Amino acid sequence: MTAHSNIYPTKALQEIDAAHHWHPFSDMKSLNAEGSRIITRADGVWLTDSEGRRILDGMAGLWCVQVGHGRTEITEAVQRQMNELAYYNTFFKTTHPPAIALSEKLAKLAPDHINTVFYCSSGSEANDTVFRMVRTYWDKMGKPDKKVIIGRWNGYHGSTLAGTSLGGMKAMHAQGDLPVEGVHHIDQPYWFGEGQDMSRDDFGVHAARKLERAIDQLGEDKVAAFIAEPIQGAGGVIIPPESYWPEVRRILRERDILLVADEVICGFGRLGEWFGSTHFEIEPDLMPIAKGLTSGYLPMGGVLVSDRVAEGLMNAGDDFNHGYTYSGHPVCAAAALANLDIIEREGLVGRVKTDIGPYLQERWRRLEEHPLVGEARMTGLMGALELVPDKKDLKKAFPDVGTVGTICRDISFQNGMVMRAVRDSMIISPPLVLTHEEADFLVETAEKTLDDTYQRLKKDGWLG
Ligand code: PXG
């Protein structure tokens, strides 16, 4: 068969897929018994599956398709670049115009103290790059004992060795005997899940002070960096209380420790600023990026490097022995430039801040009135619904965590919308081009999905 073979019946495609394709993060035995969903086309915020059904892409692919699907401005830029220079490397004293132009562009978009980019092909590679950069930086600064990187439980930084280690997903650590040495985890600022005994602001400070305590226990002279997502994505859209980031900044400012803001999801307009760091006024030393950089049209990632770290590493007088065959890939860089051009031309960042963001947030938050929803939260275009069995006791969770979330996710798909489930919360992160009508459809479908899920749970005895 060919890549365009949507002439085959769904069942035939599912059988071939089941026979040969190992999916990421999947229990393949049960997936193959059920059969995968097959997406064949996409346009704007709409996916089409192999049965010809249209489904609203509430997750922008996998948190990445900022400009929507099917944008010919990007595909044409890619084709032009393919014909001109499909590949050349950026090693051995060489570069090329797409990498040069993209670097200049990113330096302009990034906060003022960030003017340098190191390229790779994914968010995971970006965090592997961060891992080596941070440690090498302190070596060059004459502080080779500063090696420990502090991450957070339930943070996500990718699935390579460094990405998994820096992240705080216990199920991932269990496979491959991770984390690697020299990584320490602190608690996350997850008020709904872990902080309801305190006010949000008290809990934000409390969670930040875990960082202070960890640094003081490990020793400032041993700690190289703290890494965190401005808002945790894969962990369940954990929006920190407003008191959290200012306190983290105070703690790090008082100590000589680098701050890495993982912008892989929050970057490129998701929170109504070019970077999530700007939304929270984080001022990081390093910013890993990927996803929205190309809107997912081609794989590309990078690390945006502050002047302080760039000068420390680049003026050290020897090589940083790190890089990838596809670092700065010309076609991916052309896709990124075309994508950033659309984001700028259509004012998508400002649109999230002042138009579609507030519009969707207001409607989304109203879902908190539903009997299944304990909390409805959203910042920018990144939201979550916490499903609970009893609204009178918000600390009570469903048994067998994750089962109810999966039931709700499947019902959402049947109702014509992709929502992702994390534990028993439902997540959305739609393309930034979502129209008001599409936002209405999104919320109406979420509401219908909650109703259908409620009926199912009642029928199956989940609600007592
Ligand atoms: N950092 C963050 C904050 C991410 O969200 C990565 C790094 C790794 O990027 P790559 O390109 O290597 O995947 C991510 C990726 C999910 C899901 O189910 C989330 C991600 C990837 C796959 C699934 O929510 N985020």
Side-chain angles (χ1 to χ4, degrees):
M1 65 177 282
T2 70
H4 308 290
S5 297
N6 42 7
I7 49 168
Y8 288 82
T10 300
K11 188 115 188 47
L13 291 171
Q14 286 173 329
E15 278 168 14
I16 300 170
D17 193 73
H20 304 295
H21 181 191
W22 189 347
H23 295 224
F25 285 85
S26 300
D27 168 355
M28 290 311 293
K29 196 169 167 203
S30 64
L31 175 59
N32 288 342
E34 198 180 330
S36 291
R37 298 183 185 100
I38 299 168
I39 304 300
T40 53
R41 306 186 65 82
D43 184 36
V45 303
W46 297 97
L47 309 169
T48 305
D49 74 6
S50 53
E51 297 291 294
R53 283 164 12 105
R54 268 159 63 85
I55 302 154
L56 187 129
D57 185 3
M59 282 302 296
L62 207 45
W63 320 82
C64 55
V65 187
Q66 319 297 71
V67 299
H69 299 275
R71 302 299 299 252
T72 50
E73 302 95 315
I74 302 181
T75 56
E76 281 162 11
V78 162
Q79 192 180 12
R80 269 197 308 278
Q81 187 56 46
M82 280 263 181
N83 289 334
E84 200 163 304
L85 178 71
Y87 176 73
Y88 201 72
N89 69 66
T90 52
F91 288 51
F92 318 130
K93 303 185 181 176
T94 308
T95 186
H96 45 65
I100 297 168
L102 181 59
S103 307
E104 182 189 40
K105 182 91 211 165
L106 288 169
K108 273 203 191 113
L109 296 177
D112 287 349
H113 68 293
I114 294 183
N115 291 289
T116 308
V117 55
F118 192 104
Y119 291 112
C120 55
S121 301
S122 69
S124 298
E125 284 182 1
N127 282 318
D128 277 50
T129 302
V130 159
F131 195 93
R132 301 195 62 217
M133 238 178 216
V134 158
R135 290 181 162 191
T136 310
Y137 171 78
W138 287 116
D139 287 344
K140 301 293 180 205
M141 293 294 104
K143 296 186 177 174
D145 290 340
K146 278 172 91 67
K147 287 280 147 55
V148 177
I149 305 179
I150 300 177
R152 302 184 298 187
W153 294 117
N154 199 39
Y156 190 80
H157 301 293
S159 67
T160 50
L161 286 183
T164 302
S165 297
L166 296 171
M169 301 289 179
K170 289 186 180 155
M172 292 176 73
H173 290 169
Q175 296 176 333
D177 304 310
L178 297 169
V180 295
E181 218 175 294
V183 180
H184 182 90
H185 295 90
I186 59 166
D187 289 337
Q188 58 181 336
Y190 181 19
W191 180 81
F192 189 85
E194 298 171 8
Q196 285 191 42
D197 291 333
M198 292 182 215
S199 74
R200 285 176 203 263
D201 272 346
D202 286 352
F203 178 70
V205 171
H206 170 80
R209 298 232 171 117
K210 300 248 168 122
L211 175 64
E212 188 164 45
R213 205 165 325 133
I215 297 169
D216 293 346
Q217 275 165 8
L218 292 159
E220 185 187 337
D221 54 333
K222 299 278 190 310
V223 179
F226 173 56
I227 182 167
E229 303 149 81
I231 291 178
Q232 288 152 259
V237 184
I238 312 294
I239 303 172
E242 282 186 14
S243 57
Y244 180 75
W245 275 112
E247 184 67 2
V248 167
R249 282 181 54 215
R250 176 196 65 79
I251 292 161
L252 294 178
R253 217 183 288 120
E254 288 173 10
R255 296 162 177 81
D256 198 15
I257 290 165
L258 298 177
L259 173 53
V260 184
D262 185 334
E263 294 277 357
V264 169
I265 285 179
C266 294
F268 303 103
R270 175 66 47 205
L271 303 186
E273 299 282 352
W274 276 99
F275 297 97
S277 294
T278 313
H279 176 85
F280 289 109
E281 300 178 10
I282 292 177
E283 294 175 20
D285 297 288
L286 296 168
M287 300 200 300
I289 53 172
K291 293 192 191 274
L293 170 61
T294 60
S295 278
Y297 279 61
L298 284 174
M300 187 175 222
V303 180
L304 293 172
V305 185
S306 64
D307 296 341
R308 170 191 177 184
V309 175
E311 278 157 24
L313 273 170
M314 288 161 66
N315 295 338
D318 64 358
D319 296 1
F320 178 44
N321 296 310
H322 185 82
Y324 306 92
T325 303
Y326 302 126
S327 284
H329 193 290
V331 181
C332 301
L337 282 163
N339 171 58
L340 298 176
D341 191 47
I342 295 173
I343 296 179
E344 274 193 315
R345 212 176 50 240
E346 298 186 357
L348 296 183
V349 177
R351 188 170 183 271
V352 172
K353 188 168 186 142
T354 60
D355 176 8
I356 190 64
Y359 184 85
L360 185 63
Q361 287 157 22
E362 203 252 321
R363 282 154 184 76
W364 183 259
R365 289 194 191 114
R366 269 195 248 144
L367 293 172
E368 200 168 291
E369 289 158 25
H370 194 278
L372 259 191
V373 178
E375 184 182 73
R377 56 178 181 264
M378 183 178 282
T379 298
L381 285 187
M382 200 171 168
L385 303 173
E386 297 275 359
L387 306 188
V388 292
D390 179 0
K391 287 194 66 145
K392 289 190 289 304
D393 180 4
L394 295 183
K395 283 191 230 153
K396 197 165 143 203
F398 283 108
D400 195 15
V401 172
T403 307
V404 166
T406 305
I407 291 171
C408 186
R409 183 186 71 186
D410 290 346
I411 291 174
S412 179
F413 223 97
Q414 282 157 20
N415 286 340
M417 181 168 79
V418 179
M419 273 199 287
R420 171 158 163 24
V422 175
R423 298 176 299 279
D424 293 323
S425 52
M426 306 312 298
I427 306 299
I428 58 150
S429 170
L432 313 187
V433 292
L434 188 80
T435 63
H436 287 213
E437 294 71 33
E438 289 161 347
D440 292 344
F441 177 91
L442 187 155
V443 175
E444 281 156 23
T445 309
E447 192 164 11
K448 174 168 169 33
T449 297
L450 290 168
D451 288 344
D452 293 351
T453 304
Y454 188 78
Q455 292 310 325
R456 168 85 66 84
L457 296 181
K458 216 162 156 190
K459 187 167 122 267
D460 294 350
W462 286 86
L463 298 173

